[in-house]
Amino acid sequence: MSATQSVYLEEEGVYRFHMEHPVPAYLVALVAGDLKPADIGPRSRVWAEPCLLPTATSKLSGVVEQWLSAAERLYGPYMWGRYDIVFLPPSFPIVAMENPCLTFIISSILESDEFLVIDVIHEVAHSWFGNAVTNATWEEMWLSEGLATYAQRRITTETYGAAFTCLETAFRLDALHRQMRLLGEDSPVSKLQVKLEPGACSHQACAWDPVDATHPSGLLPCLWLAQAGLSPHEGVNPSHLMNLFTYEKGYCFVYYLSQLCGDPQRFDDFLRAYVEKYKFTSVVAQDLLDSFLNFFPELKEQSVDCRAGLEFERWLNATGPPLAEPDLSQGSSLTRPVEALFQLWTAEPLDQAAASASAVDISKWRTFQTALFLDRLLDGSPLPQEVVMSLSKCYSSLLDSMNAEIRIRWLQIVVRNDYYPDLHRVRRFLESQMSRMYTIPLYEDLCTGALKSFALEVFYQTQGRLHPNLRRTIQQILSQGLGPSAEASTEPNAELARAGAEAGSDSAALLLGDEAPSSAISLRDVNVSA
Ligand SMILES: [Zn+2]
């Protein structure tokens, strides 16, 4: 349990847990299963199913203590006693969750080393930003996520250097801009301070008017919405907050603040004082910004909060991309080869010999380099068929031997380009991956394109092994875009339509079901740690 003390009373068969600090309800978490512990540091152990324990231990032994110590040097003492990690089965619906004393993390991430490192460090950073000082309202979730992402990158800079940190940041900011293109610059989720939709209904095909009537479920009083002066379309569904704006636009704002004070170490000192002042309480953005201006009186005097075009108010309330982005030139030794290779493969006409010759050594690249390269190819898809053929010849077997974060991207390229010779790899991947983070994006792509019947076939073969919530989401993806006549015409489709209707009773599974398909895809596509 996410608790500072736990005792097992053997005679009674009872576990007792105690949390000595006040924490918000969302950080109370309990896990039960066939879990065995192994020490990985003086105050850390991993818990995992016995078959996973050796891998988990070997990947994290010693390093977690390194990350905790780096964080302590930056932001002050770790205040939760133990920092343990529990690995959960692939069906765990999110990548990782920062429950105090016991980070929850999905075991699927174990094979992708660099992602594992970043995800755990992010959760370590939440021990200060999120768990100790918490956002008072979900409408300002960026306070936890933006600050934790900033702290995570300070820790990786201290531990692995600026180049690696800039690479990882470039990779994520690329994803942020992708999400922006899909949603449009005026999307309400792109604000840091979002307005939640207090009464909106996530039931598919529900005609409930929140201003007018009580919801059929008896929940969610409509008056609230009317009093708040909101129309049903102005607000944001809380399920949509785990988007890249909350994380990366939030990060950019915090980074901008650090630039204003001119010295990242002075900014660390400020954050340390901020944690000390507000620990074990909940805050709003104004608390952070007031503290910032009070800590740097010279900046307050210069009215940095009102600089034209970069007003704090605009950072918080404008839709669209970040008003300023970090300088990532220190990562160029790692990002430049990616850009060069991408240029070669997308040159018109394709210089086959040059492109193939340069295929050399991506096997020595960092995972984030390869992922960035593949993401850019994905953005450019569909690609000319000859390019896809050559790419497949150069990379397909090589990428197949790499980790899942890389394989999923290559397979999405295969699907978005309808490249049938590599389709057997997609099937094999979907037969072995049972986690949401890897199955959903592939099913989305399969169903958007011409491969829906292939998707149906794979789904029928694997559905028995999927978590019920994931199964319902995939059923919903498979049934999207089926008109009434399509639903009636063939049996499997009718069955899917029924399954979709059943899913309506489970709002967690529905998640984004009432969105337009494009925004549903773009938000569901993003895998973030909490
Ligand atoms: Zn987080």
Side-chain angles (χ1 to χ4, degrees):
M1 188 170 185
S2 55
T4 43
Q5 289 163 35
S6 60
V7 188
Y8 179 51
L9 308 172
E10 200 157 1
E11 292 116 63
E12 300 168 44
V14 169
Y15 290 88
R16 285 236 165 94
F17 301 100
H18 178 74
M19 167 50 80
E20 62 193 81
H21 304 300
V23 292
Y26 77 91
L27 293 177
V28 178
L30 187 77
V31 56
D34 181 16
L35 299 165
K36 298 277 178 278
D39 284 336
I40 50 164
R43 50 186 153 173
S44 300
R45 62 176 63 118
V46 290
W47 292 86
E49 289 180 86
C51 60
L52 279 178
L53 196 59
T55 314
T57 312
S58 71
K59 299 220 171 197
L60 292 170
S61 194
V63 288
V64 170
E65 184 58 28
Q66 232 179 306
W67 303 332
L68 285 167
S69 306
E72 286 187 311
R73 284 192 297 276
L74 294 167
Y75 304 121
Y78 180 73
M79 50 202 110
W80 303 93
R82 298 201 59 82
Y83 183 88
D84 294 345
I85 300 173
V86 58
F87 282 92
L88 299 173
S91 56
F92 187 53
I94 56 171
V95 181
M97 180 63 206
E98 66 269 23
N99 303 311
C101 308
L102 183 65
T103 281
F104 284 32
I105 193 160
I106 193 168
S107 54
S108 321
I109 205 73
L110 262 178
E111 66 166 286
S112 306
D113 287 354
E114 288 176 24
F115 281 81
L116 173 71
V117 165
I118 294 297
D119 287 334
V120 177
I121 294 178
H122 182 86
E123 307 313 322
V124 165
H126 270 307
S127 305
W128 286 261
F129 306 101
N131 296 4
V133 185
T134 308
N135 46 301
T137 149
W138 291 119
E139 296 181 329
E140 293 182 331
M141 190 178 170
W142 76 271
L143 264 179
S144 284
E145 296 307 341
L147 282 163
T149 304
Y150 180 85
Q152 160 214 318
R153 290 184 178 144
R154 288 290 295 130
I155 297 168
T156 59
T157 303
E158 295 294 302
T159 316
Y160 301 106
F164 175 70
T165 304
C166 288
L167 168 67
E168 188 266 335
T169 309
F171 166 78
R172 299 281 186 202
L173 290 182
D174 235 46
L176 174 75
H177 287 286
R178 184 171 311 118
Q179 195 165 72
M180 177 102 278
R181 287 195 297 275
L182 286 164
L183 294 175
E185 296 214 352
D186 55 355
S187 167
V189 303
S190 66
K191 286 184 184 184
L192 288 185
Q193 263 176 349
V194 296
K195 276 203 180 74
L196 292 185
E197 196 173 57
C201 179
S202 63
H203 276 73
Q204 212 165 18
C206 176
W208 177 60
D209 176 355
V211 182
D212 230 341
T214 309
H215 186 263
S217 69
L219 300 170
L220 308 167
C222 52
L223 273 177
W224 214 96
L225 190 66
Q227 277 168 4
L230 290 177
S231 86
H233 302 293
E234 263 180 303
V236 168
N237 187 313
S239 305
H240 299 188
L241 290 177
M242 302 265 286
N243 65 66
L244 283 163
F245 299 97
T246 302
Y247 289 73
E248 296 301 335
K249 191 174 178 182
Y251 160 76
C252 287
F253 185 30
V254 177
Y255 184 89
Y256 171 71
L257 296 176
S258 78
Q259 290 299 104
L260 282 177
C261 86
D263 175 359
Q265 274 152 16
R266 282 188 72 207
F267 192 69
D268 293 336
D269 294 341
F270 155 65
L271 288 179
R272 196 183 174 117
Y274 164 80
V275 170
E276 186 53 38
K277 179 172 180 193
Y278 288 109
K279 68 183 175 193
F280 308 126
T281 67
S282 298
V283 300
V284 293
Q286 206 53 50
D287 294 321
L288 173 77
L289 298 173
D290 289 346
S291 302
F292 175 76
L293 292 173
N294 290 332
F295 195 88
F296 299 106
E298 69 281 13
L299 297 179
K300 193 177 191 173
E301 224 157 83
Q302 296 163 26
S303 308
V304 290
D305 53 327
C306 302
R307 276 193 188 162
L310 292 161
E311 298 88 347
F312 288 1
E313 186 56 29
R314 186 184 295 235
W315 268 105
L316 295 175
N317 282 312
T319 60
L323 302 180
E325 289 188 19
D327 170 14
L328 301 177
S329 55
Q330 282 182 284
S332 62
S333 61
L334 296 170
T335 52
R336 218 183 298 119
V338 175
E339 272 148 28
L341 190 60
F342 175 72
Q343 294 300 336
L344 271 175
W345 279 104
T346 48
E348 284 184 38
L350 174 70
D351 181 345
Q352 180 112 10
S356 308
S358 68
V360 271
D361 255 344
I362 72 162
S363 63
K364 298 211 171 63
W365 275 8
R366 289 188 166 268
T367 290
F368 282 117
Q369 286 179 291
T370 313
L372 182 62
F373 172 61
L374 295 173
D375 272 354
R376 297 235 167 128
L377 288 175
L378 255 178
D379 287 342
S381 292
L383 299 156
Q385 204 63 15
E386 53 154 355
V387 173
V388 183
M389 270 173 66
S390 302
L391 279 169
S392 171
K393 223 191 291 162
C394 287
Y395 300 112
S396 203
S397 326
L398 175 65
L399 296 175
D400 215 26
S401 66
M402 294 186 177
N403 64 57
E405 289 289 341
I406 289 177
R407 294 206 309 282
I408 174 75
R409 289 175 165 81
W410 168 246
L411 296 175
Q412 282 185 276
I413 293 173
V414 167
V415 170
R416 286 196 202 172
N417 287 282
D418 297 328
Y419 190 65
Y420 291 89
D422 275 331
L423 215 49
H424 66 283
R425 298 184 201 273
V426 178
R427 179 191 295 275
R428 212 171 55 220
F429 187 83
L430 287 175
E431 281 169 356
S432 65
Q433 294 290 342
M434 299 295 138
S435 71
R436 192 173 195 96
M437 59 200 272
Y438 297 132
T439 47
I440 297 289
L442 265 180
Y443 274 106
E444 295 271 21
D445 281 349
L446 285 165
C447 292
T448 307
L451 293 165
K452 196 166 198 162
S453 56
F454 171 84
L456 269 170
E457 191 199 320
V458 176
F459 173 71
Y460 277 117
Q461 279 166 9
T462 55
Q463 60 167 331
R465 290 183 286 141
L466 300 173
H467 187 279
N469 282 2
L470 175 61
R471 194 158 58 224
R472 286 193 205 103
T473 308
I474 297 174
Q475 282 168 332
Q476 192 198 337
I477 294 167
L478 289 164
S479 60
Q480 253 168 24
L482 297 178
S485 57
E487 278 175 34
S489 64
T490 61
E491 217 187 330
N493 288 351
E495 200 172 307
L496 281 168
R498 264 202 311 279
E502 280 164 27
S505 61
D506 183 339
S507 60
L510 257 182
L511 216 60
L512 304 162
D514 53 345
E515 295 272 314
S518 67
S519 66
I521 287 169
S522 53
L523 279 171
R524 198 151 40 189
D525 209 10
V526 175
N527 293 312
V528 287
S529 313

